[in-house]
Amino acid sequence: MRIVELTGETKKNILENLLKRSPSHYGEYEDTVNGIIGQVRDRGDQAVFDYTKQFDKCELTAENLVVTRAEIEDAYRALDEALVQTMRKSAENIRAYHEKQVRQSFFATKPDGSILGQRITPLERAGVYVPGGKAAYPSSVLMNVVPAKVAGVLEIIMTTPPGKDGKVNPGTLVAADIAGVDRIYKVGGAQAIAAMAFGTESIPKVDKITGPGNIFVALAKKAVFGYVSIDSVAGPSEILILADKYANPRYVAADLLSQAEHDELASAILITDSAELAGKVSEEVESFTAQLSREEIIRKSLDNYGYILVAENMDEAVDAANDIASEHMEILTKDPFQTMTKVKNAGAIFLGEYSSEPLGDYFAGPNHILPTNGTAKFFSPLGVDDFIKKTSIISYSREALLRDHKDIERFAKSEGLTAHANSVAVRFA
């Protein structure tokens, strides 16, 4: 794994390299995605069926589009019972964590009769996209659906691509059932996003679409934003580890590789103030990589987006980490809690040598749907707030408006909006 001295120039080059992975840089696919969206919007089910036959080699009809209860029961039988129980435990941890995020409506009254408040209401229908095939991640099903259930979303539908045999990954189906999905549709790709955004004869329009996917799914979500809400336009996975001389190099190397194995575009970065640790980690990375099942993917990921950066001191290391704003950040320093106080930008922070990143992916409870490509500077993990609406409540008595109407009229007239001013003034004419 390459070792680089951290300077202003190397940091600038790395940031530019990482940003190349953003879906916003894949404009050559936008025309294809927009064409698919347009066809689904115009032709509904038939376009969905045609694209499923073209891309997934599966014949769909209105009769076999929805996953049946019998198929879900078959999925349970196909999985090891211990894995099913692990999913149930994970779902409960996710539920317990997200229940702490629930907001309440509030109303504030004043003696003059004015009432101001905020009403919290859940979305009526949410749509979750789940990849299929080799990229099937039941953990992501739980992370998307459970917060929506906690928020009180009235209906949750899920779309996921079928195999050539018309079947859906059994882990995906079991996770969806445990989490509480209402209906599952056998459709994937940009056509699934379009169907949820605009509705078809069989697939209802949703209010919000969440969930990961390939570049076509990401660009489709970007294209339909505004017609529906979306969680984010997610980029490839990434991890950044802040470590000092006290860190265990084997732990650091293993954790870097936990993200590098996702795909060739994944990013794994170590920033340390110890040249000795940097060398040891590089050796451990090579040793581990040769033993791992996804060695080819890992090597491409590390060649393209893997770095060990050696900083002058830990303050410089933290500054660089804040600029990169990684999806996952591990802090493996002598005092990780003290180091954390200096961190401003990260999707999720893992503190200490027994808090490796997969703990967050699968089991701890906090959401693993996180901001990528530097967007942790202004975006947050998926949570209950993503599935609610806030509505402002305003009620003034005559007494309250009498006190304020001159100020309101003055403000409106200053903007040239005399009808606004008159709307208030007429009540005291």
Side-chain angles (χ1 to χ4, degrees):
M1 195 169 173
R2 83 192 97 179
I3 300 174
V4 180
E5 180 185 357
L6 179 60
T7 66
E9 186 64 24
T10 58
K11 182 172 71 174
K12 177 176 178 289
N13 292 338
I14 289 168
L15 287 170
E16 289 177 353
N17 191 39
L18 294 176
L19 286 174
K20 292 176 184 175
R21 306 171 310 137
S22 168
S24 298
H25 286 71
Y26 288 83
E28 66 266 31
Y29 300 114
E30 287 185 348
D31 286 345
T32 299
V33 169
N34 288 335
I36 293 171
I37 291 171
Q39 285 291 310
V40 173
R41 191 174 185 180
D42 293 341
R43 298 173 52 232
D45 275 357
Q46 193 56 53
V48 169
F49 301 155
D50 290 347
Y51 283 122
T52 302
K53 183 177 181 180
Q54 178 182 344
F55 297 130
D56 299 308
K57 313 304 179 189
C58 176
E59 293 274 1
L60 276 187
T61 66
E63 285 68 41
N64 65 0
L65 176 63
V66 180
V67 172
T68 65
R69 187 67 215 175
E71 289 176 293
I72 294 173
E73 295 300 332
D74 286 343
Y76 274 100
R77 286 188 285 270
L79 291 190
D80 181 78
E81 179 59 26
L83 176 57
V84 175
Q85 292 306 316
T86 293
M87 286 187 187
R88 293 189 192 280
K89 292 177 185 177
S90 175
E92 186 51 43
N93 290 344
I94 296 165
R95 182 173 293 106
Y97 177 85
H98 287 84
E99 282 174 348
K100 295 177 175 62
Q101 297 179 344
V102 174
R103 296 180 184 231
Q104 302 298 326
S105 300
F106 68 84
F107 293 90
T109 62
K110 294 181 179 180
D112 62 12
S114 61
I115 301 173
L116 302 178
Q118 180 174 270
R119 195 178 80 176
I120 303 292
T121 53
L123 302 183
E124 289 188 30
R125 183 184 291 128
V128 175
Y129 183 85
V130 179
K134 294 179 180 178
Y137 299 120
S139 59
S140 288
V141 177
L142 301 179
M143 292 291 182
N144 278 277
V145 177
V146 173
K149 293 293 287 187
V150 171
V153 174
L154 300 182
E155 183 182 13
I156 302 171
I157 70 167
M158 189 177 93
T159 59
T160 188
K164 294 179 183 179
D165 57 1
K167 295 182 179 179
V168 173
N169 180 280
T172 297
L173 293 184
V174 169
D177 190 61
I178 289 171
V181 172
D182 293 294
R183 276 177 291 167
I184 305 168
Y185 296 89
K186 300 176 183 178
V187 56
Q191 60 271 27
I193 302 301
M196 289 192 286
F198 299 107
T200 70
E201 295 90 333
S202 300
I203 301 173
K205 173 179 167 55
V206 302
D207 301 311
K208 183 160 191 167
I209 299 172
T210 68
N214 62 18
I215 186 61
F216 295 97
V217 170
L219 289 175
K221 286 171 68 177
K222 180 181 176 183
V224 301
F225 176 64
Y227 297 99
V228 293
S229 178
I230 63 170
D231 49 353
S232 65
V233 181
S237 187
E238 53 199 31
I239 186 170
L240 186 149
I241 299 178
L242 284 170
D244 59 18
K245 64 182 181 180
Y246 299 100
N248 185 318
R250 283 180 62 78
Y251 296 173
V252 175
D255 294 355
L256 289 169
L257 297 177
S258 73
Q259 295 307 292
E261 76 169 342
H262 269 293
D263 61 59
E264 292 88 344
L265 295 176
S267 166
I269 299 173
L270 164 65
I271 309 181
T272 179
D273 59 354
S274 169
E276 181 181 0
L277 178 73
K280 290 180 179 179
V281 169
S282 183
E283 292 173 5
E284 294 288 355
V285 164
E286 181 58 37
S287 175
F288 276 131
T289 300
Q291 307 169 36
L292 295 170
S293 61
R294 296 169 72 90
E295 178 183 358
E296 184 178 352
I297 290 174
I298 289 171
R299 291 196 184 280
K300 288 180 180 178
S301 169
L302 296 181
D303 286 346
N304 292 326
Y305 304 106
Y307 301 92
I308 297 176
L309 303 177
V310 181
E312 284 272 338
N313 51 58
M314 193 49 63
D315 284 341
E316 185 181 82
V318 172
D319 285 344
N322 280 326
D323 286 337
I324 294 170
S326 184
E327 176 188 19
H328 307 100
M329 179 185 292
E330 288 189 12
I331 302 180
L332 299 173
T333 58
K334 185 178 181 180
D335 186 351
F337 287 90
Q338 194 277 334
T339 305
M340 181 192 67
T341 63
K342 302 176 183 178
V343 173
K344 301 175 183 176
N345 305 320
I349 300 175
F350 300 78
L351 299 172
E353 62 182 14
Y354 294 104
S355 305
S356 64
E357 188 279 337
L359 178 66
D361 272 352
Y362 295 110
F363 207 73
N367 212 287
H368 80 198
I369 310 296
L370 301 167
T372 58
N373 278 109
T375 60
K377 292 180 179 178
F378 45 82
F379 281 149
S380 305
L382 190 74
V384 170
D385 276 359
D386 288 284
F387 298 99
I388 63 169
K389 299 176 297 172
K390 308 179 196 74
T391 303
S392 300
I393 305 295
I394 301 168
S395 175
Y396 262 42
S397 65
R398 176 180 174 82
E399 177 187 352
L401 187 60
L402 179 63
R403 182 196 62 210
D404 293 336
H405 79 98
K406 293 292 185 183
D407 287 323
I408 300 167
E409 292 166 30
R410 184 179 300 110
F411 216 148
K413 289 175 182 177
S414 76
E415 295 185 347
L417 300 176
T418 54
H420 278 62
N422 185 61
S423 172
V424 176
V426 71
R427 286 163 167 76
F428 301 99

